[in-house]
Amino acid sequence: MSITSALLSSRSGLAVAGTRAGIASENIANAGRTDYVRRNATLSSQTTGGGVEVSSIRRDVDGALQTRERSDRAQASYNQTLSAGLALYTDRLGEMGTPAALPARIAALQSDLDLMAGTPAATGAQRSVLNSAEELVRGITGAATALGAAQDDALSGLRNDLTELNALLRDVAEMNATIGDAAPGTPRRATAEDARDAALDRITEYADVTVLRQADGRIDVIASGGAALVEGTETHALSFDATTGTLRAGEVDVTPGRAGVRGVSAGSLSARVDLVTEVLPGMSRQLDGLAAALVTTFEGADASLGAGQAGLFTDAGAAYDPAAREGLAERLAVNDAVRPDAGGALWRLRDGIGAAAEGAASDPTQVLAFVGALESAQSFDPADGLGASNTLADYAAVMVSEHNVATSEAGVRAESYAASAAAIAHQRSSTEGVNVDTELQDLLSIEQSYAANSQVISALTRMMDTLLEAV
């Protein structure tokens, strides 16, 4: 090797050592940042002079771990949002076995009617029946109100999710533009890729997506079903039509769970769309079904009623109208005809809600008819999903149980996916994160390389000086 070649090789070694030292220093400076990926220098031989050079700066990214963590985070976010959204309602609905739960309130009404049948003239027994009826109505209307609040909260959260998600999609498109303009392996490009990956991590909290990488370093962000959300530097903004329950990316339908749609299926946005369009409306239909059965059960068992006359339980004071079933649970009320504070009389609980005058004080016939109706199976709409025939108490028990189970199961799934995502994140941190001890060891190695190349240059300088002196 000539002196010139040795000198060029040592100079390139010094330059490489300087670049590597700068990378290690940057790694150490950013060790506390969760969105920072460790950098490494890729070395290659120089085409002339026989030295080495830093050909690129490489980010230590594990793509497989990224994909797995993002998938689990999307599922955790979906189930956590679903559980929290349902809890707004089920906390008011009450748990099975508690006095506040609807089955217990129906049982209390049935028990008080049984006692009244034994003492039909007792004002205290009549008052107990009225109180139980009003408690049952409060339980159903309170649950309906909570359902409405949960629906409003889900819709508000959905709009917030859309705002945040669309902003993140725009961030990805902007980072794509920066990455496309930056030379591969440069610090500018690595910084932009860090920012883009951080945005993608946040995106998966709202929606499950797939990333397609292009040759120039840009990416396309695709909904799990296949619809494009980001194509290079172009975004397809998400929007929601509350009237039709349709979620769109640009003009493409991406509504979760809709047949033939290339949509999303996880993340908080998907959960809120499901809550608004399917889950909460389905629970509302079941609650309305219970209210309808309660009204018609007491209308059918009351021999004192004429055509179109309301029974003990009413639709805001009116008789049941099948065409107005929707929202009945929120309008349910006890008939004023039996409420003394509204001008009614308690004796109608014994003689029938439509009775114009008091009957025999000891006659329990009508009370026993109410008791028998509560004990008998009633018809329900099979489309509500809880069967076509059941007693009121059993229907309420199945409904309350299923609604609470849906909440708790979503919570359990959320915890499971969150734990899995945390474990994968720890693995990613080991691969992609900065270990300060390792960086310090690299700095020692770089220092030794720098010193060795400096010594070679010093030796070559002395050699050249000696040769020049000999001339």
Side-chain angles (χ1 to χ4, degrees), residues 174-184 188-189 192 196 216-218:
E174 290 174 4
M175 291 303 103
N176 271 344
T178 300
I179 290 166
D181 293 338
R188 179 170 177 244
R189 182 159 178 164
R196 189 178 65 185
D216 62 356
R218 300 181 185 187

Side-chain angles (χ1 to χ4, degrees), residues 302-371:
D302 194 337
S304 70
L305 297 179
Q309 194 171 1
L312 175 59
F313 296 98
T314 73
D315 181 353
Y320 176 66
D321 179 0
R325 180 178 180 272
E326 184 177 350
L328 175 59
E330 200 163 2
R331 302 190 304 270
L332 188 67
V334 172
N335 200 319
D336 285 346
V338 300
R339 297 176 58 239
D341 59 341
L346 288 172
W347 54 262
R348 288 195 176 90
L349 291 169
R350 177 194 64 223
D351 299 328
I353 311 305
E358 284 192 68
S362 60
D363 185 2
T365 303
Q366 183 58 70
V367 181
L368 291 174
F370 288 148
V371 172

Side-chain angles (χ1 to χ4, degrees), residues 22-82:
I23 293 172
S25 298
E26 184 183 6
N27 285 340
I28 293 172
N30 291 281
R33 286 177 50 194
T34 56
D35 60 345
Y36 180 83
V37 176
R38 182 177 184 269
R39 271 65 156 158
N40 260 324
T42 300
L43 306 182
S44 61
S45 299
Q46 290 182 328
T47 56
T48 59
V52 294
E53 62 182 357
V54 175
S55 59
S56 66
I57 297 174
R58 185 183 72 251
R59 298 166 68 243
D60 290 338
V61 175
D62 190 321
L65 288 180
Q66 271 189 347
T67 300
R68 287 172 53 199
E69 183 191 355
R70 288 169 181 166
S71 175
D72 283 354
R73 286 176 67 175
Q75 290 292 344
S77 181
Y78 175 90
N79 285 286
Q80 176 58 39
T81 303
L82 186 66

